[in-house]
Protein backbone atom coordinates (compact mmCIF):
# COMPACT_ATOMS: atom_id res chain seq x y z
CA UNK A 1 0.00 0.00 0.00
CA UNK A 2 1.51 3.34 -1.08
CA UNK A 3 2.12 5.68 1.83
CA UNK A 4 1.93 8.61 -0.59
CA UNK A 5 -1.57 7.66 -1.72
CA UNK A 6 -2.69 7.19 1.88
CA UNK A 7 -1.40 10.68 2.67
CA UNK A 8 -3.24 12.08 -0.36
CA UNK A 9 -6.50 10.41 0.71
CA UNK A 10 -6.13 11.72 4.28
CA UNK A 11 -5.61 15.25 3.00
CA UNK A 12 -8.63 15.03 0.70
CA UNK A 13 -10.75 13.75 3.57
CA UNK A 14 -9.69 16.65 5.81
CA UNK A 15 -10.60 19.11 3.03
CA UNK A 16 -14.01 17.44 2.66
CA UNK A 17 -14.67 17.57 6.41
CA UNK A 18 -13.58 21.19 6.82
CA UNK A 19 -15.48 22.25 3.69
CA UNK A 20 -18.71 20.69 4.93
CA UNK A 21 -18.31 22.62 8.17
CA UNK A 22 -17.77 26.10 6.78
CA UNK A 23 -19.48 26.31 3.40
CA UNK A 24 -22.77 28.21 3.21
CA UNK A 25 -23.45 27.19 -0.39
CA UNK A 26 -25.62 24.09 -0.79
CA UNK A 27 -23.95 23.21 -4.10
CA UNK A 28 -20.49 23.37 -2.55
CA UNK A 29 -21.79 21.24 0.34
CA UNK A 30 -22.84 18.56 -2.13
CA UNK A 31 -19.38 18.66 -3.72
CA UNK A 32 -17.65 18.26 -0.35
CA UNK A 33 -19.96 15.36 0.51
CA UNK A 34 -19.10 13.73 -2.82
CA UNK A 35 -15.40 14.28 -2.07
CA UNK A 36 -15.81 12.47 1.26
CA UNK A 37 -17.44 9.51 -0.49
CA UNK A 38 -14.60 9.50 -3.02
CA UNK A 39 -11.94 9.41 -0.28
CA UNK A 40 -13.73 6.47 1.37
CA UNK A 41 -13.61 4.68 -1.98
CA UNK A 42 -9.88 5.44 -2.22
CA UNK A 43 -9.27 3.94 1.23
CA UNK A 44 -11.30 0.86 0.24
CA UNK A 45 -9.17 0.34 -2.87
CA UNK A 46 -5.89 1.01 -1.03
CA UNK A 47 -6.83 -1.38 1.76
CA UNK A 48 -8.53 -3.91 -0.52
CA UNK A 49 -11.62 -3.95 1.75
CA UNK A 50 -15.34 -3.33 1.15
CA UNK A 51 -16.44 0.31 1.23
CA UNK A 52 -18.81 -0.49 4.13
CA UNK A 53 -15.86 -1.54 6.29
CA UNK A 54 -14.06 1.73 5.56
CA UNK A 55 -17.11 3.84 6.40
CA UNK A 56 -17.52 1.97 9.69
CA UNK A 57 -13.84 2.39 10.54
CA UNK A 58 -13.77 6.19 10.62
CA UNK A 59 -14.32 7.90 13.94
CA UNK A 60 -17.35 10.21 13.56
CA UNK A 61 -16.05 13.76 13.34
CA UNK A 62 -17.12 17.20 12.21
CA UNK A 63 -15.73 20.70 12.24
CA UNK A 64 -12.25 21.77 11.28
CA UNK A 65 -10.13 18.68 10.61
CA UNK A 66 -7.36 18.42 13.22
CA UNK A 67 -5.24 15.57 14.65
CA UNK A 68 -6.75 13.34 17.31
CA UNK A 69 -4.94 12.67 20.60
CA UNK A 70 -4.13 9.24 22.04
CA UNK A 71 -2.57 8.95 25.53
CA UNK A 72 -0.53 5.96 26.76
CA UNK A 73 0.84 5.25 30.23
CA UNK A 74 4.13 3.43 30.88
CA UNK A 75 4.33 2.01 34.43
CA UNK A 76 7.55 0.20 35.36
CA UNK A 77 8.42 -2.02 38.30
CA UNK A 78 12.12 -2.87 38.23
CA UNK A 79 12.77 -3.82 34.60
CA UNK A 80 9.19 -4.84 33.87
CA UNK A 81 6.43 -2.82 32.21
CA UNK A 82 2.68 -2.94 32.80
CA UNK A 83 0.72 -4.09 29.73
CA UNK A 84 -2.95 -4.82 29.14
CA UNK A 85 -4.46 -7.26 26.62
CA UNK A 86 -6.97 -5.75 24.21
CA UNK A 87 -10.18 -7.70 23.76
CA UNK A 88 -10.46 -6.49 20.15
CA UNK A 89 -7.29 -8.13 18.86
CA UNK A 90 -5.99 -10.29 21.73
CA UNK A 91 -2.69 -8.44 21.80
CA UNK A 92 -0.92 -6.39 24.45
CA UNK A 93 -0.40 -2.65 24.76
CA UNK A 94 0.45 0.12 27.15
CA UNK A 95 -2.85 1.13 28.79
CA UNK A 96 -4.45 4.22 27.29
CA UNK A 97 -6.93 5.58 24.79
CA UNK A 98 -8.44 8.74 23.37
CA UNK A 99 -8.01 11.96 25.34
CA UNK A 100 -11.39 13.16 26.59
CA UNK A 101 -12.98 16.59 26.50
CA UNK A 102 -12.83 18.46 29.85
CA UNK A 103 -10.00 16.25 31.11
CA UNK A 104 -6.30 17.04 30.88
CA UNK A 105 -4.14 14.39 29.19
CA UNK A 106 -2.12 13.59 32.34
CA UNK A 107 -5.25 12.92 34.41
CA UNK A 108 -6.75 11.05 31.46
CA UNK A 109 -3.81 8.65 31.30
CA UNK A 110 -4.07 7.89 35.03
CA UNK A 111 -7.77 7.10 34.60
CA UNK A 112 -7.09 4.88 31.57
CA UNK A 113 -4.43 2.94 33.50
CA UNK A 114 -6.86 2.32 36.35
CA UNK A 115 -9.80 1.39 34.10
CA UNK A 116 -7.85 -0.97 31.84
CA UNK A 117 -5.41 -2.57 34.30
CA UNK A 118 -6.91 -2.06 37.76
CA UNK A 119 -3.60 -0.50 38.81
CA UNK A 120 -3.30 2.85 40.52
CA UNK A 121 -0.66 5.19 39.09
CA UNK A 122 0.57 8.67 39.91
CA UNK A 123 3.09 11.38 39.00
CA UNK A 124 2.65 11.27 35.20
CA UNK A 125 5.62 12.69 33.27
CA UNK A 126 5.32 13.39 29.56
CA UNK A 127 8.08 11.26 28.02
CA UNK A 128 7.42 11.86 24.32
CA UNK A 129 4.91 12.93 21.71
CA UNK A 130 4.73 11.05 18.41
CA UNK A 131 2.97 11.70 15.14
CA UNK A 132 1.55 8.24 14.45
CA UNK A 133 1.85 8.62 10.69
CA UNK A 134 5.65 9.00 10.93
CA UNK A 135 6.19 5.65 12.69
CA UNK A 136 5.51 2.01 11.68
CA UNK A 137 2.22 1.52 13.57
CA UNK A 138 -0.06 -1.02 11.88
CA UNK A 139 -2.63 -0.97 10.51
CA UNK A 140 -2.29 2.47 8.96
CA UNK A 141 -4.94 4.82 10.35
CA UNK A 142 -7.05 7.04 8.08
CA UNK A 143 -7.05 9.63 10.88
CA UNK A 144 -4.10 11.84 11.75
CA UNK A 145 -3.10 11.02 15.35
CA UNK A 146 -0.77 12.45 17.97
CA UNK A 147 0.34 9.93 20.62
CA UNK A 148 1.33 11.19 24.08
CA UNK A 149 3.37 8.80 26.23
CA UNK A 150 3.58 9.29 29.99
CA UNK A 151 5.84 7.54 32.46
CA UNK A 152 3.97 7.03 35.75
CA UNK A 153 4.68 5.67 39.22
CA UNK A 154 3.03 2.44 40.38
CA UNK A 155 0.83 2.64 43.48
CA UNK A 156 -0.56 -0.90 43.58
CA UNK A 157 -3.85 -2.54 42.69
CA UNK A 158 -5.00 -5.58 40.74
CA UNK A 159 -6.81 -6.32 37.49
CA UNK A 160 -10.54 -5.61 37.33
CA UNK A 161 -12.72 -6.98 34.51
CA UNK A 162 -13.81 -4.33 32.00
CA UNK A 163 -15.14 -4.03 28.43
CA UNK A 164 -11.83 -3.14 26.74
CA UNK A 165 -9.16 -5.44 28.19
CA UNK A 166 -9.25 -8.99 29.53
CA UNK A 167 -5.87 -9.17 31.29
CA UNK A 168 -3.08 -7.06 32.74
CA UNK A 169 0.43 -8.05 33.80
CA UNK A 170 4.03 -6.90 34.07
CA UNK A 171 6.51 -8.11 31.42
CA UNK A 172 10.27 -7.88 31.12
CA UNK A 173 10.97 -5.20 28.53
CA UNK A 174 13.33 -7.56 26.70
CA UNK A 175 10.73 -10.34 26.58
CA UNK A 176 7.52 -8.64 25.47
CA UNK A 177 4.36 -10.52 24.41
CA UNK A 178 2.80 -9.92 20.95
CA UNK A 179 1.94 -6.23 20.89
CA UNK A 180 -1.09 -4.47 19.44
CA UNK A 181 1.09 -2.45 17.11
CA UNK A 182 -1.60 0.02 16.14
CA UNK A 183 -1.40 1.19 19.75
CA UNK A 184 2.10 0.41 21.06
CA UNK A 185 5.41 -0.47 19.44
CA UNK A 186 8.36 -2.14 21.22
CA UNK A 187 10.35 1.06 20.64
CA UNK A 188 7.74 3.05 22.56
CA UNK A 189 8.33 0.93 25.65
CA UNK A 190 12.11 1.10 25.35
CA UNK A 191 12.05 4.85 24.80
CA UNK A 192 9.84 5.36 27.86
CA UNK A 193 12.25 3.22 29.87
CA UNK A 194 15.19 5.29 28.61
CA UNK A 195 13.35 8.45 29.66
CA UNK A 196 12.91 7.01 33.16
CA UNK A 197 16.52 5.89 33.42
CA UNK A 198 17.70 9.34 32.33
CA UNK A 199 16.46 10.57 35.70
CA UNK A 200 13.18 12.25 34.74
CA UNK A 201 11.47 13.38 37.91
CA UNK A 202 8.73 15.67 39.18
CA UNK A 203 5.13 15.94 38.09
CA UNK A 204 3.60 17.21 34.88
CA UNK A 205 0.64 19.59 34.89
CA UNK A 206 -1.59 20.18 31.87
Amino acid sequence: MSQDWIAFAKQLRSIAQTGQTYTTNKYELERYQQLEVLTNQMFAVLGDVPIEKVEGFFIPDAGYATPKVDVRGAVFVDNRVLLVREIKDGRWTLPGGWADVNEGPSSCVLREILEESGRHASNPRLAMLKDRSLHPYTPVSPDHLYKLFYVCDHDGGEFVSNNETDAADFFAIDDLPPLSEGRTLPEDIHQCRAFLEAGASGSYSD
Side-chain angles (χ1 to χ4, degrees), residues 54-193:
V54 171
E55 292 172 341
F57 182 72
F58 283 114
I59 300 169
D61 198 11
Y64 188 86
T66 189
K68 302 182 187 303
V69 178
D70 174 61
V71 297
R72 295 285 153 181
V75 177
F76 296 94
V77 172
D78 298 325
N79 202 39
R80 297 177 299 141
V81 62
L82 175 65
L83 299 177
V84 296
R85 188 168 62 193
E86 289 282 341
I87 292 175
K88 286 185 176 180
D89 63 10
R91 292 175 173 262
W92 297 81
T93 177
L94 293 172
W98 297 120
D100 286 342
V101 174
N102 294 327
E103 185 177 25
S106 61
S107 59
C108 180
V109 77
L110 296 180
R111 176 181 53 75
E112 289 282 351
I113 292 170
L114 179 60
E115 290 178 353
E116 294 189 352
S117 74
R119 301 283 178 162
H120 295 273
S122 61
N123 193 23
R125 287 90 78 195
L126 182 62
M128 57 186 173
L129 185 155
K130 287 187 170 183
D131 181 334
R132 188 186 189 280
S133 65
L134 301 180
H135 299 272
Y137 295 96
T138 55
V140 174
S141 172
D143 294 299
H144 199 131
L145 309 177
Y146 289 162
K147 297 177 68 66
L148 279 61
F149 291 87
Y150 290 86
V151 170
C152 308
D153 296 338
H154 181 233
D155 295 337
E158 59 184 33
F159 181 72
V160 177
S161 178
N162 63 88
N163 62 4
E164 294 186 84
T165 62
D166 61 7
D169 207 346
F170 284 89
F171 294 87
I173 63 173
D174 293 324
D175 188 22
L176 297 171
L179 294 178
S180 180
E181 295 196 343
R183 300 173 176 87
T184 299
L185 297 174
E187 67 188 51
D188 298 332
I189 296 170
H190 288 280
Q191 289 168 344
C192 285
R193 182 65 184 178

Side-chain angles (χ1 to χ4, degrees), residues 29-46:
L29 177 61
E30 290 177 357
R31 299 296 181 271
Y32 286 124
Q33 291 170 338
Q34 290 172 354
L35 183 59
E36 181 177 9
V37 171
L38 178 61
T39 58
N40 287 346
Q41 292 172 338
M42 290 175 66
F43 279 118
V45 172
L46 290 168

